[in-house]
């Protein structure tokens, strides 16, 4: 059985945290046809507990980099659920620039295929980011006027920010892809909300096939196929 890709409702998009502006798929620069290794998860609950989960993404070097994991997808589990991330929540590089005093940041995305992807993201007339095998190359800009963030996004249309790291001018920042996470909803979380480090999460490095099983008490265990 096939399922449609994640498609948030108009109401969910309207409730999204304004700090993390989604990117329309049509604004993403053309990318290569290559895809990252397939990552899938089958979720199996022992009982119908209407288990509320949110989806996000983390970099390989999260502990070193810091940054914020952000809700980029919502999933309620009543019976069995199968998620193929390349299809349902495809991964993109994501960057944004916020100008002091404005309502929302400007954001752009580029489809992810590997950590060595080479591309250019113009964010505004003053700031253009580039990326290659060395990482993000951050140009000179007025850091008292602009806040620049880089990271990863999930989704097809729109693309939602899933991990964000604030950077400084004239730096090269390596942000290698780690994997997808499903996180137990801390209580009515919406797309764009920041995920706290204390929230229960199940991490799935790129390229694995996973099974997330919830027992009769609602406790989750992640295994590989």
């Amino acid at each position: 059985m096939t399922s449609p890709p994640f498609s948030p409702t108009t109401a969910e998009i309207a409730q999204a945290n304004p700090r993390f502006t989604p990117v329309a798929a049509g604004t993403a620069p053309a990318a290569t046809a290559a895809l990252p290794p397939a990552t899938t998860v089958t979720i199996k609950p022992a009982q119908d507990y209407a288990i509320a989960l949110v989806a996000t993404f983390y970099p390989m070097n999260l502990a070193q980099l810091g940054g914020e994991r952000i809700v980029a997808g919502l999933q309620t589990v009543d019976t069995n659920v199968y998620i193929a991330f390349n299809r349902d929540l495809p991964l993109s590089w994501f960057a944004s620039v916020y100008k002091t005093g404005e309502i929302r940041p400007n954001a752009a995305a580029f489809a992810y295929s590997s950590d060595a992807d080479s591309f250019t993201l113009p964010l505004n007339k003053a700031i253009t980011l580039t990326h290659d095998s060395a990482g993000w190359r951050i140009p000179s800009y007025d850091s008292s006027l602009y806040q620049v963030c880089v990271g990863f996004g999930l989704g097809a249309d729109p693309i939602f920010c899933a991990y964000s790291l604030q950077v400084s001018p004239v730096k090269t920042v390596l942000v290698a892809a780690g994997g997808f996470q499903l996180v137990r909803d801390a209580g009515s979380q919406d797309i764009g909300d920041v995920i706290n480090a204390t929230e229960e999460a199940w991490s799935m490095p790129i390229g694995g096939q996973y099974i997330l099983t919830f027992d009769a008490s609602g406790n989750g265990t992640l295994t590989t196929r």
Side-chain angles (χ1 to χ4, degrees), residues 105-190:
N106 287 274
F110 186 91
Y112 176 94
S113 63
S114 78
D115 289 339
D117 285 335
S118 181
F119 58 89
T120 299
L121 285 184
L123 293 177
N124 61 21
K125 290 183 178 180
I127 301 173
T128 294
L129 304 185
T130 59
H131 185 279
D132 56 28
S133 59
W136 290 94
R137 298 185 184 272
I138 315 301
S140 175
Y141 61 89
D142 184 351
S143 58
S144 67
L145 182 61
Y146 296 109
Q147 181 185 101
V148 176
C149 294
V150 300
F152 296 99
L154 294 178
D157 190 8
I159 300 167
F160 289 103
C161 185
Y163 169 77
S164 181
L165 173 69
Q166 185 174 343
V167 294
S168 301
V170 198
K171 299 282 186 181
T172 298
V173 183
L174 181 62
V175 185
F180 301 89
Q181 280 185 332
L182 291 175
V183 183
R184 195 185 295 272
D185 189 337
S188 301
Q189 286 181 305
D190 290 319

Side-chain angles (χ1 to χ4, degrees), residues 28-105:
T32 63
L35 291 173
T39 309
T40 68
V41 61
T42 301
I43 311 170
K44 298 181 177 182
Q47 296 184 30
D48 177 5
Y49 278 110
I51 299 166
L53 303 174
V54 299
T56 188
F57 195 83
Y58 64 93
M60 185 176 295
N61 44 347
L62 176 61
Q64 175 188 352
L65 289 173
E68 294 179 319
R69 293 169 303 144
I70 301 151
V71 175
L74 310 172
Q75 180 66 58
T76 301
V77 178
D78 296 302
T79 53
N80 293 338
V81 174
Y82 176 77
I83 299 172
F85 286 100
N86 278 358
R87 178 195 66 201
D88 301 323
L89 281 178
L91 178 64
S92 296
W93 299 101
F94 196 98
S96 67
V97 57
Y98 173 74
K99 186 176 181 180
T100 301
E102 295 195 343
I103 301 170
R104 289 178 179 245

